[in-house]
Amino acid sequence: MIQEGNDDLAAYMPNNEEGKSNDSASTNPAPEEQASALSQPAEVPSAAAEPAVSPAFVQRDQSELLWVAEKVNRVREEMRKYVIGQSEMIELLLAGIFSNGHILLEGVPGVAKTLSSKALSKVLHVDFSRIQFTPDLMPSDVIGTSVFSMKEGEFNFRKGPIFSNIVLIDEINRAPAKTQAALFEVMEERQITYDGNRYDMSFPFLVIATQNPVEQEGTYNLPEAQLDRFLFKIKLDYPTLDEETLILTRYKEQIQAPDLSGIATVFTADELHKVQKVVEKIIVEDRLIQYIAQIVNKTRNHSKLFLGGSPRASLSILKSAKAFAAIRGRDFVTPDDIQFVTIHVLNHRLILTPEAEMEGTQMEEVIREIVQTIEVPR
């Protein structure tokens, strides 16, 4: 598991100083590992050409990563003012934003799914909209519709609530398949097509959908094609005894809904774009690329799985692992990053065989078994 917090950032930062003693070997990567983590392999014509990466480039990268880590810590602090516990969910939400992916939250009512989404939208200086999915909701209620203008004598397209930056879809499995299908294009291509015209979403665009795993009456299961468009499926559990005690203590003198106006803005749209550029530059070694491919390939040949992961699942593991490396203040991906995100990336993309379902097998158990059977790159 990835270690919590940001206390050991210095240990993750590449060291470019010469003449370091051997005492730093336990906390800093070896010189050859530093080079691979900071630049693509290149031929060095002579010893005088070393180091392969200029100190100025290294310093710029360090400052960007430290800036991201500082921002992430501020987001944690702001979110914890209202969301107690669920620290893993907060980091997964940030990883989804940083890697440009949508999030599916699954949990019983009352575990702060909607509150977390609203609090996240507050720390981002972007537009927010909420859509409550119901059985009578129509696609036009989501994407918009044409309205006749008496003044102009023509139809004009009126945008629906999907045209926002952070879109919270409450109980996504309550709407019929026709309305759910309206999200296909907008989630994958970040655009909609209406009457032959294309309308692009503004940056950033993130869909956070919630669903209740228990109450199934009057619900419509999401098709595999739509589930595959979510980067993560985050399963929220009940809080611990200490966390629930803290929740009661914090709100013991309050009967109104939490007022989120006290949350400070941490990220702007331009800063989120900058973070995504930092994530794109995170180094992933070839052996880790092969490691991801082996994990996903194993899901297609497992005796307990009817449906395995697609190449989109492999790409989702790759980009979300890069996002977590940036959150941890590193410019390179480790096997721990890959193992951590794999469960959340695959748990909604795989389908158990009927025999495995009858035995009560949990999807997470199968994914952990697959990860444990594959040799970890050294």
Side-chain angles (χ1 to χ4, degrees):
M1 290 293 294
I2 304 175
Q3 56 183 326
E4 185 70 24
N6 226 12
D7 298 333
D8 297 325
L9 269 180
Y12 295 130
M13 291 295 99
N15 191 350
N16 196 48
E17 298 180 10
E18 297 180 1
K20 283 287 184 182
S21 66
N22 292 333
D23 295 337
S24 62
S26 61
T27 57
N28 291 318
E32 59 271 20
E33 294 176 349
Q34 295 178 28
S36 66
L38 295 172
S39 65
Q40 297 295 335
E43 295 185 1
V44 181
S46 64
E50 296 182 358
V53 183
S54 67
F57 178 81
V58 174
Q59 183 61 35
R60 185 175 69 248
D61 256 13
Q62 288 178 341
S63 63
E64 288 178 342
L65 290 167
L66 288 171
W67 173 77
V68 172
E70 180 186 357
K71 287 280 191 177
V72 168
N73 281 335
R74 287 181 57 194
V75 171
R76 290 194 190 103
E77 293 172 2
E78 295 298 323
M79 294 280 287
R80 286 170 182 166
K81 293 179 180 178
Y82 298 91
V83 181
I84 299 172
Q86 309 292 6
S87 58
E88 184 176 281
M89 177 202 63
I90 293 174
E91 293 198 340
L92 288 168
L93 287 173
L94 287 174
I97 295 174
F98 294 169
S99 54
N100 207 31
H102 308 291
I103 307 294
L104 178 62
L105 300 178
E106 182 178 276
V108 298
V111 291
K113 299 188 298 296
T114 301
L115 177 63
S116 301
S117 303
K118 287 183 175 181
L120 178 67
S121 70
K122 288 292 184 179
V123 300
L124 309 177
H125 193 243
V126 295
D127 293 334
F128 173 79
S129 67
R130 175 181 177 179
I131 310 174
Q132 185 71 47
F133 269 28
T134 57
D136 60 346
L137 196 71
M138 299 297 293
S140 58
D141 298 326
V142 177
I143 64 174
T145 187
S146 291
V147 178
F148 184 76
S149 173
M150 297 293 293
K151 181 178 179 180
E152 300 176 4
E154 61 182 13
F155 284 93
N156 295 323
F157 179 69
R158 179 172 294 177
K159 294 180 179 180
I162 197 67
F163 284 88
S164 188
N165 296 121
I166 305 293
V167 181
L168 171 62
I169 299 179
D170 246 343
E171 296 188 284
I172 188 173
N173 54 343
R174 290 287 179 187
K178 186 176 183 180
T179 303
Q180 292 178 6
L183 299 173
F184 275 34
E185 181 184 12
V186 67
M187 290 180 64
E188 180 64 21
E189 303 177 27
R190 287 168 168 76
Q191 67 177 37
I192 68 164
T193 304
Y194 191 90
D195 283 344
N197 297 319
R198 190 184 74 180
Y199 301 90
D200 295 323
M201 302 291 132
S202 58
F203 178 88
F205 177 72
L206 173 70
V207 172
I208 302 177
T210 70
Q211 68 176 14
N212 180 359
V214 179
E215 180 65 44
Q216 298 301 323
E217 184 177 352
T219 63
Y220 303 83
N221 290 332
L222 298 181
E224 284 70 28
Q226 184 166 1
L227 285 171
D228 199 41
R229 282 163 169 77
F230 286 100
L231 177 69
F232 295 136
K233 178 182 177 181
I234 307 174
K235 294 187 176 181
L236 303 183
D237 294 326
Y238 289 113
T240 64
L241 177 60
D242 291 338
E243 291 170 347
E244 188 149 7
T245 302
L246 183 58
I247 293 172
L248 294 172
T249 302
R250 180 171 298 182
Y251 294 102
K252 66 180 180 180
E253 297 179 354
Q254 182 177 341
I255 61 173
Q256 303 296 330
D259 182 10
L260 302 181
S261 60
I263 296 182
T265 298
V266 178
F267 281 107
T268 64
D270 290 340
E271 288 174 334
L272 287 176
H273 193 269
K274 179 182 176 182
V275 172
Q276 291 187 359
K277 291 297 183 182
V278 173
V279 171
E280 288 178 349
K281 294 187 293 184
I282 299 297
I283 304 300
V284 185
E285 296 185 0
D286 291 341
R287 59 195 176 96
L288 295 182
I289 296 289
Q290 182 69 18
Y291 184 51
I292 295 172
Q294 289 176 332
I295 291 175
V296 177
N297 182 264
K298 184 70 174 179
T299 65
R300 303 166 190 164
N301 304 281
H302 197 279
S303 59
K304 294 183 179 180
L305 293 177
F306 175 75
L307 178 69
S310 67
R312 183 182 285 151
S314 303
L315 292 170
S316 297
I317 294 175
L318 174 63
K319 65 182 184 180
S320 56
K322 292 174 68 174
F324 260 95
I327 289 174
R328 298 305 183 189
R330 285 182 274 107
D331 63 349
F332 57 93
V333 171
T334 67
D336 283 343
D337 298 328
I338 295 172
Q339 293 171 4
F340 179 77
V341 302
T342 293
I343 291 180
H344 304 287
V345 170
L346 294 181
N347 63 359
H348 60 293
R349 289 181 162 95
L350 311 180
I351 298 180
L352 294 170
T353 61
E355 295 79 10
E357 287 185 348
M358 292 179 63
E359 294 172 358
T361 304
Q362 297 295 319
M363 183 65 71
E364 289 76 10
E365 297 175 2
V366 178
I367 298 174
R368 289 191 182 95
E369 177 186 326
I370 291 173
V371 172
Q372 291 171 0
T373 57
I374 298 175
E375 183 179 359
V376 179
R378 301 295 179 186

